[in-house]
């Protein structure tokens, strides 16, 4: 897990370290073909010239990285990431480590950010979040060889160490609860379909509803606007659901507002469940039934595992506690039940 050095480039290129230095600094003494090959190898392994001194002596950066491919406006209002980061920071601060955070617009940019950070010796490891199916970031990070903890399901994490919780269990508990209340038309306002945890929840939701309730899934981008729009469509349907499960608290609160706007009483006419509890879920009226888990502890466990990887320890995949249902005033018996 050492950082790329001039010596690594020299070995790959079959030349001396002096030749590598000449090539990377634009000095004469090497052919243009050799220079091009050396520059290509340096780019491939993530070496950066401004990090040469630190990369050669293997100094620790005492910093880990997190790049988030989410709109900054969402991060400002969604409690999940703020609570996750608070848990990460609590562990890092005790070890005199810093967290380098950057918002990016694409996975390609995210991979490039990680390559630059690693090559410039700015970080000792990274967290990878929002895992996608066949995620191209995974083989890229495997190739770089830096310590990585994936906060997501191990089915798509490759050889990288993963920490996750059983979303399927939480979905089954929620659907079972709603069915027990007499609900036979249940909807789910979900997140982005390409996310692994969305896929896991989709599959668990469909399986739990099979033979017990009609169901529909609407995918969104996690924003309140999209949650409100999905809720209006669902409540305008002739076979509108009597219960809706939302993939985050922002969308659930937006859905509650739409229901009240459309004069659909909660919980008499519609039951609402929010994924991931937060103060926001508890201050609205009625307070929202929610899937509750200790998100700061989740972040802390991820940070502990990344620091262990940086220290050279073996870190196997780790299943954290699943979310549990906390019933509140937004759920009740189905109409006519």
């Amino acid at each position: 897990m050492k950082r790329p050095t001039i010596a690594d480039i020299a070995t790959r290129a079959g030349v001396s370290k002096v030749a590598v230095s000449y090539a990377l600094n634009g000095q004469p003494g090497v052919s243009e073909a050799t220079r091009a090959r050396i520059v290509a190898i340096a780019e491939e392994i993530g070496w950066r010239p401004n990090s040469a001194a630190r990369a050669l002596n293997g100094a620790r950066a005492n910093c880990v990285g997190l790049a988030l491919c989410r709109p900054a406006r969402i991060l400002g209002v969604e409690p999940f990431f703020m609570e996750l980061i608070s848990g990460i920071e609590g562990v890092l601060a005790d070890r005199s480590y810093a967290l380098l955070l950057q918002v990016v617009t694409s996975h390609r940019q995210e991979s490039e950010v990680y390559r630059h950070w690693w090559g410039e010796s700015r970080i000792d490891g990274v967290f990878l979040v929002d895992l996608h199916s066949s995620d191209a970031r995974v083989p890229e990070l495997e190739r770089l060889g830096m310590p990585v903890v994936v906060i997501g399901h191990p089915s798509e994490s490759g050889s990288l160490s993963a920490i996750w919780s059983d979303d399927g269990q939480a979905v089954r508990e929620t659907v079972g609860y709603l069915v027990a209340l007499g609900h036979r038309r249940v909807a789910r306002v979900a997140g982005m379909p390409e996310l692994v945890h969305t896929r896991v929840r989709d599959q668990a939701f469909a399986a739990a509803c099979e033979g017990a309730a009609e169901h529909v899934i609407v995918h969104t981008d996690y924003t309140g606007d999209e949650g409100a729009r999905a809720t209006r469509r669902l409540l305008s349907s002739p076979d509108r659901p009597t219960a809706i499960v939302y993939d985050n608290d922002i969308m659930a609160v937006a859905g509650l507002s739409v229901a009240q706007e459309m004069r659909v009483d909660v919980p008499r006419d519609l039951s609402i469940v929010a994924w991931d509890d937060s103060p926001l879920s508890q201050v609205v009226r009625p307070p929202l039934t929610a899937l509750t888990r200790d998100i700061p502890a989740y972040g802390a466990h991820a940070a502990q595992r990344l620091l262990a990887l940086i220290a050279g320890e073996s870190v196997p995949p780790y299943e954290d506690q699943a979310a549990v249902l906390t019933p509140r005033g937004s759920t009740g018996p189905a109409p006519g039940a």
Side-chain angles (χ1 to χ4, degrees), residues 44 107 111 115 128 131-146 148 150 156-160:
E44 179 186 347
H107 278 179
S111 293
R115 291 178 67 209
L128 183 65
L131 198 61
H132 285 211
S133 299
S134 302
D135 200 315
R137 296 171 298 171
V138 170
E140 173 74 8
L141 292 175
E142 287 175 328
R143 187 178 62 77
L144 288 176
M146 69 172 133
V148 180
V150 176
E156 296 285 350
S157 65
S159 64
L160 304 177

Side-chain angles (χ1 to χ4, degrees), residues 4 7 31 34 73 95 98 119 129 149 153 188 201 226 234 242 261 271 277 284 290 297 305 308 318 322 325 335:
S31 70
T34 300
R73 61 187 176 86
R95 297 279 294 275
V129 299
V149 166
H153 199 273
R188 181 163 161 264
R201 295 177 187 183
E226 280 290 298
L234 289 168
T242 61
E261 168 192 308
S271 287
D277 202 1
V284 294
R305 303 182 77 73
Y318 176 73
L325 192 69

Side-chain angles (χ1 to χ4, degrees), residues 68-78 81-82 101-105 223:
L68 293 174
C69 189
R70 291 284 187 95
R73 61 187 176 86
I74 296 179
L75 297 178
V77 297
E78 189 175 45
F81 276 114
M82 295 303 100
L101 176 67
Q102 184 167 333
V103 176
V104 297
T105 58
T223 62

Side-chain angles (χ1 to χ4, degrees), residues 36-83:
R37 187 168 81 256
I38 289 170
V39 169
I41 292 170
E43 180 67 21
E44 179 186 347
I45 68 174
W47 184 88
R48 292 295 180 272
N50 65 342
S51 65
R54 295 184 67 186
L56 284 169
N57 64 28
R60 286 271 175 87
N62 287 338
C63 180
V64 296
L66 172 61
L68 293 174
C69 189
R70 291 284 187 95
R73 61 187 176 86
I74 296 179
L75 297 178
V77 297
E78 189 175 45
F80 172 81
F81 276 114
M82 295 303 100
E83 292 186 28

